[in-house]
Coordinates of all heavy atoms in Angstrom, one line a residue:
M19 N 58.0 131.3 101.5 CA 57.3 131.9 102.6 C 57.1 130.9 103.7 O 57.6 129.9 103.7 CB 56.0 132.4 102.0 CG 56.2 133.6 101.0 SD 54.8 134.6 101.0 CE 54.5 134.8 99.3
N20 N 56.2 131.3 104.6 CA 55.9 130.4 105.7 C 54.9 129.4 105.3 O 53.9 129.6 104.7 CB 55.3 131.3 106.8 CG 56.2 132.3 107.4 OD1 57.4 132.0 107.2 ND2 55.7 133.3 108.1
D21 N 55.2 128.2 105.6 CA 54.4 127.0 105.4 C 53.5 126.9 106.6 O 54.0 126.5 107.6 CB 55.3 125.8 105.1 CG 54.4 124.6 104.7 OD1 53.3 124.9 104.4 OD2 54.9 123.5 104.7
T22 N 52.2 127.0 106.4 CA 51.2 126.9 107.6 C 50.3 125.7 107.3 O 49.3 125.7 107.9 CB 50.4 128.2 107.6 OG1 49.7 128.3 106.4 CG2 51.2 129.3 108.0
S23 N 50.8 124.7 106.6 CA 50.0 123.5 106.4 C 50.0 122.7 107.7 O 50.9 122.8 108.4 CB 50.6 122.7 105.2 OG 51.8 122.3 105.5
P24 N 48.9 122.0 107.9 CA 48.8 121.2 109.1 C 49.9 120.1 109.3 O 50.3 119.8 110.4 CB 47.4 120.5 109.0 CG 46.8 121.2 107.9 CD 47.8 121.9 107.0
D25 N 50.5 119.7 108.1 CA 51.5 118.6 108.2 C 52.8 119.1 108.8 O 53.5 118.4 109.6 CB 51.8 118.0 106.8 CG 50.6 117.2 106.4 OD1 49.8 116.8 107.3 OD2 50.4 117.0 105.2
S26 N 53.2 120.3 108.5 CA 54.4 120.8 108.9 C 54.4 121.3 110.5 O 55.4 121.2 111.2 CB 54.8 122.1 108.1 OG 54.0 123.2 108.4
T27 N 53.2 121.7 111.0 CA 53.2 122.2 112.4 C 52.9 120.9 113.3 O 53.3 121.0 114.5 CB 52.0 123.1 112.6 OG1 50.8 122.4 112.1 CG2 52.3 124.4 111.8
E28 N 52.4 119.9 112.9 CA 52.3 118.7 113.6 C 53.5 118.0 114.0 O 53.8 117.4 115.0 CB 51.3 117.7 113.1 CG 49.9 118.2 113.0 CD 48.9 117.2 112.3 OE1 49.3 116.1 112.0 OE2 47.7 117.6 112.1
H29 N 54.4 117.9 113.0 CA 55.7 117.2 113.1 C 56.8 118.0 113.7 O 57.9 117.4 114.1 CB 56.2 116.6 111.8 CG 55.2 115.6 111.2 ND1 54.9 114.4 111.7 CD2 54.4 115.7 110.2 CE1 54.0 113.8 111.1 NE2 53.6 114.5 110.1
E30 N 56.7 119.3 113.8 CA 57.7 120.2 114.4 C 58.1 119.9 115.8 O 59.3 119.8 116.1 CB 57.3 121.7 114.1 CG 58.5 122.7 114.4 CD 59.6 122.5 113.3 OE1 59.3 122.1 112.1 OE2 60.7 122.7 113.7
P31 N 57.1 119.7 116.7 CA 57.6 119.4 118.1 C 58.3 118.1 118.2 O 59.3 117.9 119.0 CB 56.3 119.4 118.8 CG 55.3 120.2 118.0 CD 55.8 120.0 116.6
D32 N 57.9 117.1 117.4 CA 58.6 115.9 117.4 C 60.1 116.0 116.9 O 61.0 115.4 117.6 CB 57.9 114.7 116.6 CG 56.5 114.4 117.1 OD1 56.4 114.6 118.4 OD2 55.7 114.0 116.4
R33 N 60.3 116.7 115.9 CA 61.6 117.0 115.4 C 62.5 117.8 116.5 O 63.6 117.4 116.6 CB 61.5 117.8 114.1 CG 62.8 118.2 113.5 CD 63.4 117.1 112.8 NE 64.6 117.5 112.1 CZ 65.8 116.9 112.1 NH1 65.8 115.7 112.7 NH2 66.8 117.3 111.5
T34 N 62.0 118.8 117.1 CA 62.7 119.5 118.1 C 63.0 118.6 119.3 O 64.1 118.7 119.8 CB 61.8 120.7 118.5 OG1 61.5 121.5 117.4 CG2 62.6 121.5 119.6
E35 N 62.0 117.8 119.7 CA 62.3 116.9 120.8 C 63.4 115.9 120.4 O 64.2 115.6 121.2 CB 61.0 116.1 121.2 CG 61.2 115.2 122.3 CD 59.9 114.5 122.7 OE1 58.8 115.0 122.3 OE2 59.9 113.4 123.3
Q36 N 63.4 115.4 119.2 CA 64.4 114.4 118.7 C 65.8 115.1 118.6 O 66.8 114.5 119.1 CB 64.1 113.8 117.4 CG 64.9 112.8 116.8 CD 64.9 111.5 117.7 OE1 63.9 111.2 118.4 NE2 66.0 110.8 117.8
D37 N 65.9 116.3 118.2 CA 67.1 117.0 118.1 C 67.7 117.2 119.5 O 68.9 117.0 119.7 CB 67.0 118.3 117.3 CG 66.7 118.2 115.8 OD1 67.0 117.0 115.4 OD2 66.4 119.1 115.2
L38 N 66.9 117.6 120.4 CA 67.2 117.9 121.8 C 67.7 116.6 122.5 O 68.8 116.6 123.1 CB 66.1 118.5 122.6 CG 66.4 118.8 124.0 CD1 67.5 119.8 124.1 CD2 65.1 119.4 124.7
R39 N 67.0 115.5 122.3 CA 67.3 114.2 122.8 C 68.7 113.7 122.2 O 69.6 113.3 123.0 CB 66.3 113.1 122.4 CG 66.8 111.8 123.0 CD 65.6 110.8 122.9 NE 64.5 111.2 123.8 CZ 63.2 111.2 123.6 NH1 62.7 110.7 122.4 NH2 62.4 111.6 124.5
E40 N 69.0 113.9 120.9 CA 70.3 113.5 120.3 C 71.4 114.4 120.9 O 72.5 113.9 121.2 CB 70.2 113.7 118.8 CG 69.4 112.6 118.2 CD 69.1 112.8 116.7 OE1 69.8 113.9 116.2 OE2 68.4 112.1 116.0
A41 N 71.2 115.7 121.1 CA 72.2 116.6 121.6 C 72.5 116.2 123.0 O 73.7 116.1 123.4 CB 71.7 118.0 121.5
L42 N 71.5 115.9 123.8 CA 71.8 115.6 125.3 C 72.4 114.2 125.4 O 73.3 114.0 126.2 CB 70.4 115.5 126.1 CG 69.8 117.0 126.4 CD1 68.5 116.9 127.0 CD2 70.8 117.8 127.2
E43 N 72.1 113.3 124.6 CA 72.7 111.9 124.6 C 74.3 112.1 124.2 O 75.1 111.5 124.8 CB 72.0 111.0 123.7 CG 70.7 110.5 124.2 CD 69.9 109.5 123.2 OE1 70.5 109.4 122.0 OE2 68.9 109.0 123.6
A44 N 74.5 112.9 123.2 CA 75.9 113.1 122.8 C 76.7 113.8 124.0 O 77.9 113.5 124.2 CB 75.9 114.0 121.6
L45 N 76.0 114.7 124.6 CA 76.7 115.5 125.8 C 76.9 114.5 126.9 O 78.0 114.4 127.6 CB 75.8 116.6 126.2 CG 76.4 117.5 127.3 CD1 77.7 118.1 126.8 CD2 75.4 118.5 127.7
A46 N 75.9 113.7 127.2 CA 76.0 112.7 128.3 C 77.0 111.6 128.0 O 77.7 111.1 128.9 CB 74.7 112.1 128.7
G47 N 77.2 111.2 126.8 CA 78.1 110.2 126.4 C 79.5 110.6 126.6 O 80.4 109.8 126.8
G48 N 79.9 111.8 126.7 CA 81.1 112.4 126.8 C 81.6 112.5 128.4 O 82.6 112.9 128.6
V49 N 80.6 112.3 129.2 CA 80.8 112.5 130.6 C 81.2 111.1 131.2 O 80.4 110.2 131.1 CB 79.6 113.1 131.3 CG1 79.8 113.2 132.9 CG2 79.3 114.5 130.8
H50 N 82.3 111.1 131.9 CA 82.7 109.8 132.5 C 83.0 110.2 134.0 O 83.8 111.1 134.3 CB 84.0 109.2 131.9 CG 83.7 108.9 130.5 ND1 83.0 107.9 130.0 CD2 84.2 109.5 129.3 CE1 82.9 107.8 128.7 NE2 83.7 108.8 128.2
P51 N 82.4 109.4 134.9 CA 82.7 109.7 136.4 C 84.1 109.3 136.8 O 84.8 108.4 136.2 CB 81.7 108.8 137.1 CG 81.4 107.7 136.2 CD 81.5 108.3 134.8
A52 N 84.6 110.0 137.8 CA 85.9 109.7 138.3 C 85.9 108.4 138.9 O 84.9 107.9 139.5 CB 86.4 110.7 139.3
P53 N 87.1 107.5 138.9 CA 87.0 106.2 139.4 C 86.8 106.1 140.9 O 86.2 105.2 141.4 CB 88.4 105.6 139.0 CG 89.1 106.7 138.3 CD 88.2 107.9 138.2
D54 N 87.2 107.2 141.6 CA 87.1 107.1 143.1 C 86.1 108.1 143.5 O 86.2 108.6 144.7 CB 88.5 107.3 143.8 CG 89.1 108.7 143.3 OD1 88.6 109.3 142.4 OD2 89.9 109.2 144.2
A55 N 85.1 108.4 142.8 CA 84.1 109.4 143.1 C 83.3 109.0 144.4 O 83.0 109.8 145.2 CB 83.2 109.6 141.9
Y56 N 82.9 107.8 144.4 CA 82.1 107.2 145.6 C 83.0 107.4 146.8 O 82.5 107.9 147.9 CB 81.6 105.9 145.3 CG 80.9 105.3 146.5 CD1 79.6 105.7 146.8 CD2 81.5 104.4 147.3 CE1 78.9 105.2 147.9 CE2 80.8 103.9 148.5 CZ 79.6 104.3 148.7 OH 78.9 103.8 149.8
R57 N 84.1 106.9 146.8 CA 85.0 106.9 148.0 C 85.3 108.4 148.5 O 85.2 108.6 149.6 CB 86.4 106.3 147.6 CG 87.3 106.1 148.8 CD 88.6 105.5 148.5 NE 88.4 104.2 147.8 CZ 88.9 103.9 146.6 NH1 89.6 104.7 146.0 NH2 88.7 102.7 146.1
T58 N 85.5 109.3 147.5 CA 85.7 110.7 147.9 C 84.4 111.3 148.5 O 84.4 111.9 149.6 CB 86.1 111.5 146.7 OG1 87.3 110.9 146.1 CG2 86.3 112.9 147.1
A59 N 83.3 111.0 147.9 CA 82.0 111.6 148.5 C 81.7 110.9 149.8 O 81.2 111.7 150.8 CB 80.9 111.4 147.5
R60 N 81.9 109.7 149.9 CA 81.7 109.1 151.2 C 82.6 109.5 152.3 O 82.2 109.8 153.4 CB 81.8 107.5 151.1 CG 81.4 106.8 152.4 CD 81.4 105.3 152.2 NE 80.7 104.6 153.4 CZ 81.4 104.4 154.5 NH1 82.6 104.8 154.6 NH2 80.8 103.8 155.5
G61 N 83.9 109.7 152.0 CA 84.9 110.3 152.8 C 84.4 111.7 153.4 O 84.6 112.0 154.5
D62 N 84.0 112.5 152.4 CA 83.5 113.8 152.8 C 82.3 113.8 153.7 O 82.3 114.6 154.7 CB 83.1 114.7 151.6 CG 84.4 115.1 150.7 OD1 85.5 115.0 151.2 OD2 84.1 115.4 149.5
W63 N 81.4 112.9 153.4 CA 80.2 112.7 154.2 C 80.6 112.2 155.7 O 80.1 112.8 156.7 CB 79.2 111.7 153.6 CG 78.0 111.5 154.5 CD1 76.9 112.3 154.4 CD2 77.7 110.5 155.4 NE1 76.0 111.9 155.3 CE2 76.4 110.8 155.9 CE3 78.4 109.4 155.8 CZ2 75.9 109.9 156.9 CZ3 77.9 108.6 156.7 CH2 76.6 108.8 157.3
V64 N 81.5 111.3 155.7 CA 81.9 110.8 157.1 C 82.6 111.8 157.9 O 82.4 112.1 159.1 CB 82.9 109.5 156.9 CG1 83.5 109.2 158.2 CG2 82.0 108.4 156.4
R65 N 83.5 112.7 157.2 CA 84.1 113.7 157.9 C 83.0 114.8 158.4 O 83.3 115.3 159.6 CB 85.1 114.5 156.9 CG 86.1 115.3 157.5 CD 87.1 115.8 156.5 NE 87.7 114.7 155.7 CZ 87.6 114.6 154.5 NH1 86.8 115.4 153.7 NH2 88.1 113.6 153.8
R66 N 82.1 115.2 157.6 CA 81.1 116.1 158.1 C 80.3 115.5 159.2 O 79.9 116.2 160.2 CB 80.2 116.5 156.9 CG 80.7 117.5 156.0 CD 79.7 117.9 155.0 NE 79.2 116.6 154.3 CZ 79.0 116.5 153.1 NH1 79.2 117.4 152.3 NH2 78.6 115.4 152.6
E67 N 80.0 114.2 159.2 CA 79.2 113.6 160.2 C 80.0 113.5 161.5 O 79.5 113.9 162.6 CB 78.8 112.2 159.8 CG 78.0 111.4 160.9 CD 76.6 111.9 161.0 OE1 76.1 112.7 160.1 OE2 75.9 111.6 162.0
R68 N 81.3 113.2 161.4 CA 82.1 113.2 162.6 C 82.3 114.6 163.2 O 82.2 114.8 164.5 CB 83.5 112.7 162.3 CG 84.5 112.5 163.4 CD 85.9 112.0 163.0 NE 85.8 110.9 162.0 CZ 86.3 110.8 160.8 NH1 87.1 111.8 160.5 NH2 86.2 109.8 160.0
R69 N 82.5 115.6 162.4 CA 82.5 117.0 162.9 C 81.2 117.5 163.5 O 81.2 118.1 164.6 CB 82.9 117.9 161.7 CG 83.0 119.4 162.1 CD 83.5 120.2 161.0 NE 83.6 121.6 161.5 CZ 83.7 122.7 160.9 NH1 83.8 122.6 159.5 NH2 83.8 123.9 161.3
R70 N 80.1 117.1 162.9 CA 78.7 117.4 163.5 C 78.6 116.8 164.9 O 78.1 117.5 165.8 CB 77.7 116.9 162.6 CG 76.3 117.4 163.1 CD 75.2 116.6 162.2 NE 75.1 115.3 162.3 CZ 74.5 114.6 163.4 NH1 73.9 115.2 164.3 NH2 74.5 113.3 163.4
R71 N 79.0 115.6 165.0 CA 78.9 114.9 166.4 C 79.8 115.6 167.4 O 79.5 115.7 168.6 CB 79.3 113.5 166.2 CG 78.1 112.6 165.5 CD 78.4 111.2 165.5 NE 77.4 110.5 164.7 CZ 77.4 109.2 164.6 NH1 78.4 108.4 165.1 NH2 76.5 108.6 164.0
L72 N 81.1 115.9 166.9 CA 81.9 116.5 167.9 C 81.3 117.9 168.3 O 81.5 118.3 169.5 CB 83.4 116.7 167.2 CG 84.4 117.5 168.0 CD1 84.8 116.6 169.2 CD2 85.7 117.7 167.1
V73 N 80.9 118.7 167.4 CA 80.3 120.0 167.7 C 79.2 119.8 168.7 O 79.0 120.5 169.7 CB 79.9 120.8 166.4 CG1 79.1 122.0 166.8 CG2 81.1 121.2 165.7
L74 N 78.3 118.9 168.4 CA 77.2 118.6 169.4 C 77.7 118.2 170.8 O 77.1 118.6 171.7 CB 76.4 117.5 168.7 CG 75.0 117.1 169.4 CD1 74.1 118.3 169.5 CD2 74.3 116.0 168.8
A75 N 78.7 117.3 170.8 CA 79.2 116.9 172.1 C 79.8 118.2 172.8 O 79.6 118.3 174.1 CB 80.2 115.9 172.0
V76 N 80.5 119.0 172.1 CA 81.0 120.2 172.8 C 80.0 121.1 173.3 O 80.0 121.6 174.4 CB 82.1 120.9 171.9 CG1 82.4 122.2 172.4 CG2 83.2 120.0 171.6
L77 N 79.0 121.3 172.5 CA 77.8 122.1 172.9 C 77.1 121.6 174.1 O 76.7 122.4 175.0 CB 76.9 122.3 171.7 CG 75.6 123.2 171.9 CD1 76.2 124.6 172.1 CD2 74.7 123.1 170.7
I78 N 76.9 120.3 174.2 CA 76.2 119.7 175.4 C 77.1 119.9 176.5 O 76.6 120.3 177.6 CB 75.9 118.2 175.1 CG1 74.8 118.0 174.1 CG2 75.6 117.5 176.4 CD1 74.7 116.6 173.6
A79 N 78.4 119.6 176.5 CA 79.3 119.9 177.6 C 79.3 121.3 178.1 O 79.3 121.6 179.3 CB 80.7 119.5 177.2
V80 N 79.3 122.3 177.1 CA 79.2 123.7 177.5 C 77.9 124.0 178.3 O 77.9 124.7 179.3 CB 79.5 124.6 176.3 CG1 79.1 126.1 176.6 CG2 80.9 124.4 175.8
V81 N 76.8 123.6 177.7 CA 75.5 123.9 178.3 C 75.5 123.2 179.7 O 75.0 123.9 180.7 CB 74.3 123.4 177.4 CG1 73.0 123.4 178.2 CG2 74.2 124.2 176.2
F82 N 75.9 122.0 179.9 CA 75.8 121.3 181.2 C 76.8 122.1 182.1 O 76.3 122.3 183.3 CB 76.4 119.9 181.0 CG 76.4 119.2 182.3 CD1 75.2 118.7 182.9 CD2 77.6 118.9 183.0 CE1 75.3 117.9 184.1 CE2 77.6 118.2 184.2 CZ 76.5 117.8 184.7
T83 N 78.0 122.5 181.7 CA 78.9 123.2 182.6 C 78.3 124.5 183.1 O 78.3 124.9 184.2 CB 80.3 123.5 181.9 OG1 80.8 122.3 181.5 CG2 81.2 124.1 182.8
L84 N 77.7 125.3 182.1 CA 77.1 126.6 182.4 C 75.9 126.4 183.4 O 75.7 127.2 184.4 CB 76.6 127.3 181.2 CG 77.6 127.9 180.3 CD1 77.2 128.6 179.1 CD2 78.3 129.2 181.1
A85 N 75.1 125.4 183.1 CA 74.0 125.1 184.0 C 74.4 124.9 185.4 O 73.9 125.3 186.4 CB 73.0 124.1 183.5
T86 N 75.5 124.1 185.6 CA 76.1 123.6 186.8 C 76.6 124.9 187.6 O 76.4 125.1 188.7 CB 77.1 122.6 186.7 OG1 76.5 121.5 186.0 CG2 77.7 122.3 188.1
L87 N 77.4 125.8 186.8 CA 78.0 126.9 187.5 C 76.9 127.9 187.9 O 77.0 128.5 189.0 CB 79.0 127.5 186.4 CG 80.3 126.7 186.2 CD1 81.1 127.4 185.1 CD2 81.1 126.6 187.5
I88 N 75.9 128.1 187.1 CA 74.9 129.1 187.4 C 74.0 128.5 188.7 O 73.7 129.3 189.6 CB 73.9 129.3 186.2 CG1 74.6 130.0 185.1 CG2 72.6 130.0 186.7 CD1 73.8 130.2 183.9
G89 N 73.8 127.2 188.7 CA 73.2 126.7 189.9 C 74.0 126.8 191.1 O 73.5 127.2 192.1
L90 N 75.2 126.6 191.0 CA 76.1 126.7 192.2 C 76.2 128.3 192.6 O 76.2 128.6 193.8 CB 77.5 126.2 191.9 CG 77.6 124.7 191.8 CD1 79.0 124.3 191.4 CD2 77.3 124.1 193.2
W91 N 76.3 129.2 191.6 CA 76.3 130.6 191.9 C 74.9 131.0 192.7 O 75.1 131.8 193.6 CB 76.5 131.4 190.7 CG 76.5 132.9 190.9 CD1 77.6 133.6 191.4 CD2 75.4 133.7 190.6 NE1 77.2 134.9 191.5 CE2 75.9 135.1 191.0 CE3 74.2 133.6 190.0 CZ2 75.2 136.2 190.8 CZ3 73.3 134.7 189.9 CH2 73.8 136.0 190.3
V92 N 73.8 130.5 192.2 CA 72.6 130.9 192.8 C 72.5 130.3 194.2 O 72.1 131.1 195.1 CB 71.4 130.3 191.9 CG1 70.1 130.4 192.7 CG2 71.2 131.2 190.6
L93 N 72.9 129.2 194.4 CA 72.9 128.6 195.7 C 73.9 129.4 196.7 O 73.7 129.5 197.9 CB 73.4 127.1 195.7 CG 72.3 126.1 195.2 CD1 72.9 124.7 195.1 CD2 71.1 126.2 196.1
N94 N 75.0 129.8 196.2 CA 76.0 130.6 197.0 C 75.5 132.0 197.3 O 75.9 132.6 198.3 CB 77.3 130.7 196.1 CG 78.4 131.3 197.1 OD1 78.4 131.0 198.2 ND2 79.2 132.0 196.4
Q95 N 74.4 132.5 196.6 CA 73.9 133.8 196.8 C 72.8 133.9 197.8 O 72.4 134.9 198.2 CB 73.3 134.4 195.5 CG 74.3 134.6 194.4 CD 75.4 135.6 194.8 OE1 75.2 136.6 195.4 NE2 76.7 135.2 194.5
A96 N 72.4 132.7 198.3 CA 71.4 132.5 199.4 C 71.8 133.2 200.6 O 73.0 133.0 201.0 CB 71.0 131.1 199.6
P97 N 71.0 133.9 201.3 CA 71.4 134.6 202.6 C 71.8 133.5 203.7 O 71.2 132.4 203.8 CB 70.2 135.4 203.1 CG 69.1 134.7 202.3 CD 69.6 134.2 201.0
S98 N 72.8 133.8 204.4 CA 73.3 132.9 205.5 C 72.5 133.0 206.8 O 72.4 132.1 207.5 CB 74.7 133.1 205.8 OG 74.9 134.4 206.2
E99 N 71.8 134.1 207.0 CA 71.0 134.2 208.2 C 69.6 133.5 208.0 O 69.1 133.5 206.8 CB 70.8 135.8 208.6 CG 70.0 136.5 207.6 CD 70.8 137.1 206.6 OE1 72.1 137.1 206.6 OE2 70.2 137.6 205.5
P100 N 69.0 133.1 209.0 CA 67.7 132.4 208.8 C 66.7 133.5 208.3 O 66.6 134.6 208.7 CB 67.3 132.0 210.3 CG 68.3 132.5 211.2 CD 69.4 133.2 210.4
G101 N 65.7 132.9 207.4 CA 64.7 133.8 206.8 C 63.4 133.9 207.7 O 63.5 133.4 208.8
V102 N 62.4 134.2 207.1 CA 61.2 134.4 207.8 C 60.6 133.0 208.1 O 59.9 132.9 209.3 CB 60.1 135.1 206.9 CG1 58.7 135.2 207.5 CG2 60.7 136.5 206.6
I103 N 60.8 132.0 207.3 CA 60.3 130.7 207.6 C 60.9 130.1 208.9 O 60.2 129.6 209.6 CB 60.5 129.7 206.4 CG1 59.7 130.3 205.1 CG2 60.1 128.3 206.7 CD1 60.0 129.5 203.9
F104 N 62.2 130.3 209.0 CA 62.9 129.8 210.2 C 63.1 131.0 211.2 O 64.3 131.3 211.5 CB 64.2 129.0 209.8 CG 63.9 127.9 208.8 CD1 64.2 128.1 207.5 CD2 63.3 126.8 209.2 CE1 64.0 127.1 206.6 CE2 63.1 125.8 208.3 CZ 63.5 126.0 207.1
S105 N 62.1 131.6 211.7 CA 62.3 132.8 212.5 C 62.5 132.4 214.0 O 62.7 133.3 214.8 CB 61.1 133.7 212.4 OG 60.0 133.0 212.8
G106 N 62.4 131.2 214.3 CA 62.6 130.8 215.7 C 61.4 130.9 216.6 O 61.5 130.9 217.9
T107 N 60.3 130.9 216.1 CA 59.0 131.0 216.9 C 58.6 129.6 217.4 O 57.7 129.5 218.2 CB 57.8 131.6 216.1 OG1 57.6 130.8 214.9 CG2 58.2 133.1 215.8
G108 N 59.2 128.5 216.8 CA 58.9 127.2 217.3 C 59.7 126.6 218.4 O 60.3 127.5 219.2
S109 N 59.9 125.4 218.4 CA 60.9 124.8 219.5 C 62.3 125.1 219.1 O 62.6 125.1 217.9 CB 60.5 123.3 219.7 OG 60.8 122.7 218.5
H110 N 63.1 125.2 220.2 CA 64.6 125.4 220.0 C 65.2 124.2 220.5 O 64.8 123.5 221.3 CB 64.9 126.7 220.8 CG 64.4 127.9 220.3 ND1 65.0 128.5 219.2 CD2 63.5 128.8 220.8 CE1 64.3 129.7 219.0 NE2 63.4 129.8 219.9
F111 N 66.4 123.9 219.9 CA 67.3 122.9 220.4 C 68.3 123.5 221.2 O 68.9 124.5 220.8 CB 67.9 122.2 219.1 CG 66.9 121.3 218.3 CD1 66.3 121.9 217.2 CD2 66.7 120.1 218.7 CE1 65.4 121.0 216.5 CE2 65.7 119.3 218.1 CZ 65.1 119.8 216.9
T112 N 68.6 122.8 222.3 CA 69.6 123.2 223.2 C 71.0 122.8 222.7 O 71.1 122.0 221.7 CB 69.4 122.7 224.5 OG1 69.4 121.3 224.6 CG2 68.1 123.3 225.2
S113 N 72.0 123.1 223.3 CA 73.4 122.8 222.9 C 73.6 121.3 223.0 O 74.5 120.8 222.2 CB 74.4 123.4 223.7 OG 74.3 123.1 225.1
N114 N 72.8 120.5 223.7 CA 73.0 119.1 223.8 C 72.1 118.4 222.8 O 72.0 117.2 222.8 CB 72.9 118.6 225.2 CG 71.5 118.8 225.8 OD1 70.7 119.4 225.1 ND2 71.3 118.4 227.0
G115 N 71.3 119.1 221.9 CA 70.5 118.6 220.9 C 69.0 118.3 221.5 O 68.2 117.7 220.6
V116 N 68.7 118.6 222.7 CA 67.3 118.4 223.1 C 66.5 119.5 222.8 O 66.9 120.7 223.0 CB 67.4 118.1 224.7 CG1 66.0 117.9 225.2 CG2 68.3 116.9 225.0
A117 N 65.2 119.3 222.3 CA 64.3 120.3 222.1 C 63.9 121.0 223.4 O 63.5 120.3 224.3 CB 63.1 119.8 221.3
G118 N 63.8 122.3 223.3 CA 63.3 123.1 224.5 C 62.2 124.0 224.1 O 61.9 124.2 222.9
V119 N 61.6 124.5 225.1 CA 60.5 125.5 224.9 C 61.1 126.9 224.9 O 62.0 127.2 225.7 CB 59.5 125.4 226.0 CG1 58.4 126.5 225.8 CG2 59.0 124.0 226.0
P120 N 60.8 127.8 223.9 CA 61.3 129.2 223.9 C 60.9 129.9 225.0 O 59.8 129.8 225.5 CB 60.8 129.7 222.6 CG 59.5 129.0 222.2 CD 59.8 127.6 222.8
G121 N 61.8 130.9 225.5 CA 61.4 131.7 226.5 C 62.3 131.7 227.6 O 62.8 131.9 228.4

């Protein structure tokens, strides 16, 4: 039947832990890393880093180009006739460049 004595329940967790430790050590003992694992991992990391920098540089170039084109387009949309600020109510320049009085 079931043994419920204090001695058997106190040592059971230690036994389970020991069995688990032995099984994991046996499993880990059979694992051997590839000889060039570090070189491969570092190469992958360098490749990703290079690609990240390239994508960032292209993104910066695209944003700069778009901002420049939008700015030029906005400046080109400005009306060519004088606006309210330059309505001609002040002094006028004559054809020889001398300021004259309106009227």
Side-chain angles (χ1 to χ4, degrees):
M19 290 205 228
N20 292 339
D21 186 12
T22 58
S23 64
D25 291 338
S26 70
T27 58
E28 287 178 9
H29 297 292
E30 191 65 30
D32 293 336
R33 175 79 175 136
T34 304
E35 183 179 339
Q36 184 65 27
D37 289 344
L38 182 60
R39 178 169 292 139
E40 289 172 3
L42 289 176
E43 285 175 358
L45 182 63
V49 176
H50 300 290
D54 61 341
Y56 175 77
R57 185 180 304 124
T58 304
R60 188 173 187 281
D62 290 344
W63 181 82
V64 168
R65 196 173 309 113
R66 279 186 307 227
E67 183 69 18
R68 190 179 310 129
R69 183 174 180 195
R70 184 188 66 83
R71 287 183 183 183
L72 179 65
V73 168
L74 184 62
V76 168
L77 184 64
I78 288 171
V80 167
V81 168
F82 179 77
T83 303
L84 282 176
T86 302
L87 291 175
I88 290 171
L90 289 173
W91 179 77
V92 167
L93 287 175
N94 193 32
Q95 298 301 316
S98 59
E99 67 274 351
V102 176
I103 296 174
F104 303 108
S105 62
T107 58
S109 63
H110 290 286
F111 288 98
T112 60
S113 61
N114 61 2
V116 178
V119 179

